[in-house]
Amino acid sequence: MTTPIMKSPLTITDLVDWGVIPTMIEGQSHTSGKLLYKGPEGRSECGLWVCTPGKWHCHVTRDEFCHFLEGRCTYVHESGEVIEIEPDTAAFFPQDWKGVCTVHETIKKVYMIR
């Protein structure tokens, strides 16, 4: 097996349409991305994810590490904790994290789900 790599993720434009967020509150956030790797039985996954502006309910079903490269958004945990995301922000969302995400400017992130 070779090592999957993604060079210059900010410049990648050949994205796959992943559809709209199904839990919208306001607007219509549209997602697209590029899969770098998917593990056996889909237990782990990493790649590039892009999401357009909108506000939606967010439930993280598996641990997810994100490095946000572009755009701005706000995550508000159901406890009230506010997480402001701007370019070059890294965040870890544990399994079962729940809250609301508001994308202010289209975000682009590299991610790892396990």
Side-chain angles (χ1 to χ4, degrees):
M1 178 175 153
T2 61
T3 302
I5 64 168
M6 182 179 287
K7 292 191 180 215
S8 304
L10 279 173
T11 65
I12 293 174
T13 58
D14 60 332
L15 304 174
V16 174
D17 182 352
W18 289 348
V20 296
I21 300 284
T23 57
M24 293 304 304
I25 299 169
E26 295 173 11
Q28 188 173 356
S29 290
H30 193 95
T31 65
S32 57
K34 185 169 185 126
L35 194 61
L36 178 62
Y37 174 80
K38 191 163 194 123
E41 301 169 16
R43 287 183 301 221
S44 64
E45 175 183 316
C46 60
L48 178 68
W49 188 74
V50 177
C51 183
T52 62
K55 182 177 184 177
W56 37 277
H57 293 285
C58 180
H59 177 202
V60 179
T61 57
R62 294 182 287 162
D63 288 344
E64 182 174 356
F65 172 78
C66 308
H67 182 195
F68 294 85
L69 305 172
E70 195 170 77
R72 298 187 187 287
C73 64
T74 305
Y75 287 89
V76 180
H77 186 265
E78 61 188 1
S79 71
E81 174 191 25
V82 177
I83 305 160
E84 296 291 347
I85 302 293
E86 58 187 29
D88 204 22
T89 299
F92 173 75
F93 295 93
Q95 181 176 343
D96 288 327
W97 187 99
K98 292 179 183 175
V100 172
C101 177
T102 304
V103 178
H104 310 290
E105 299 170 6
T106 297
I107 54 174
K108 185 179 277 191
K109 71 179 183 182
V110 288
Y111 69 91
M112 172 67 186
I113 297 172
R114 63 177 177 132

